[in-house]
Amino acid sequence: MLLSVLSPAKWWSDAVDVSLNRAPDKRSQWESMLEDVPVGQRPGADYLVRYLPDSDLHYFQPKDLAENIRLAYEVKATVPWGKHLPDGIFFDAVLPHANVTEARDPWRKEFMDRYLPAVRGLKSPGEAALYLNKTLFKDYKVSYNTRRLRTDQSPRQTIEQGMATCTGLSIMLVDACRAVGVPARLAGIASWPGRGGNHTWVEIWDKEWHFVGAAEPDDKGLNHAWFVGDAATAI
């Protein structure tokens, strides 16, 4: 009697295979993770693995990415606006586990557990973002300070120090927003026209993209910040 061992059918795109070729030593671990992804979460998993930075392919743990994906889909099904999010917005601005070069600390579950109960009762991602910008930094006792250790701090590093500059604050707000299903991303300027210096802020998607200064809540709501005039003159 002949016995055959059947491996799970490959469901992911050829683009994911091309991506995994960049980390041959870890390919089997990533493929094992992908095989276990629930059917409903597969489009997001395909997207993330396709575009993972080289460093994440080599050093990030596949199980941690799988958990990140699970929580993102869970919150999408929970918040009132989740079912209305276009796939492209969800994939690019809710699902990702990181923004730029910050440490890949797990943050999604902590922010989700802490803020989802309050955010679930709000009607739009814009309202949720404004709520978080008013409460997040007070709750964690974090403020702007140039004595921070690095610019691209992860939320954990920022919380441990109690301080960050604009990039660290923006990363923290983006991550808190994503944790409760609010599409968010970093934006900024490399150099102010005529005087140098840079700045980072946050963009929030609520039917279209809006902006907000992290840890700088404005009673007028979204699209109001001190840097509007200078940013408008940038090339």
Side-chain angles (χ1 to χ4, degrees):
M1 180 178 180
L2 297 176
L3 297 177
S4 62
V5 178
L6 299 178
S7 60
K10 169 185 167 299
W11 59 261
W12 52 90
S13 67
D14 291 341
V16 168
D17 283 327
V18 172
S19 178
L20 294 180
N21 287 339
R22 294 178 286 145
D25 293 344
K26 207 167 180 179
R27 185 185 186 99
S28 62
Q29 295 180 46
W30 285 113
E31 288 182 340
S32 179
M33 183 276 282
L34 289 167
E35 289 167 359
D36 292 336
V37 172
V39 173
Q41 299 173 18
R42 287 177 178 178
D46 188 285
Y47 178 89
L48 283 189
V49 177
R50 190 188 316 173
Y51 295 113
L52 277 178
D54 287 352
S55 58
D56 284 356
L57 276 173
H58 286 282
Y59 303 113
F60 197 60
Q61 294 304 310
K63 64 179 179 60
D64 292 335
L65 191 70
E67 175 70 356
N68 175 84
I69 294 167
R70 182 186 71 80
L71 292 172
Y73 273 92
E74 180 180 323
V75 78
K76 182 177 184 290
T78 300
V79 293
W81 56 86
K83 62 183 177 182
H84 303 298
L85 292 179
D87 285 346
I89 296 293
F90 174 71
F91 292 161
D92 194 56
V94 175
L95 189 62
H97 60 294
N99 294 272
V100 281
T101 52
E102 76 271 25
R104 295 341 193 199
D105 298 328
W107 47 264
R108 192 180 290 268
K109 189 175 189 307
E110 177 177 342
F111 288 153
M112 181 177 171
D113 289 346
R114 184 161 190 168
Y115 295 110
L116 184 58
V119 166
R120 190 186 286 121
L122 301 177
K123 296 180 180 179
S124 70
E127 287 183 39
L130 291 173
Y131 168 80
L132 287 171
N133 203 22
K134 288 181 178 179
T135 60
L136 175 68
F137 302 101
K138 291 180 181 178
D139 288 346
Y140 283 98
K141 297 179 174 58
V142 167
S143 59
Y144 178 90
N145 198 310
T146 56
R147 292 181 297 172
R148 50 68 184 128
L149 293 179
R150 53 187 291 171
T151 54
D152 59 338
Q153 291 180 168
S154 69
R156 176 172 295 173
Q157 292 168 330
T158 292
I159 292 166
E160 288 175 350
Q161 296 173 65
M163 68 180 77
T165 43
C166 57
T167 303
L169 295 173
S170 295
I171 288 171
M172 186 170 173
L173 180 58
V174 167
D175 288 353
C177 285
R178 290 176 176 177
V180 295
V182 173
R185 65 189 184 189
L186 295 186
I189 185 170
S191 180
W192 291 117
R195 61 181 173 85
N198 57 22
H199 190 52
T200 307
W201 57 89
V202 175
E203 290 186 337
I204 304 296
W205 190 88
D206 188 347
K207 298 181 181 177
E208 60 183 358
W209 287 104
H210 306 269
F211 63 85
V212 66
E216 298 170 337
D218 193 303
D219 291 337
K220 296 177 182 178
L222 299 173
N223 297 335
H224 293 279
W226 64 266
F227 54 80
V228 173
D230 286 338
T233 65
I235 298 174

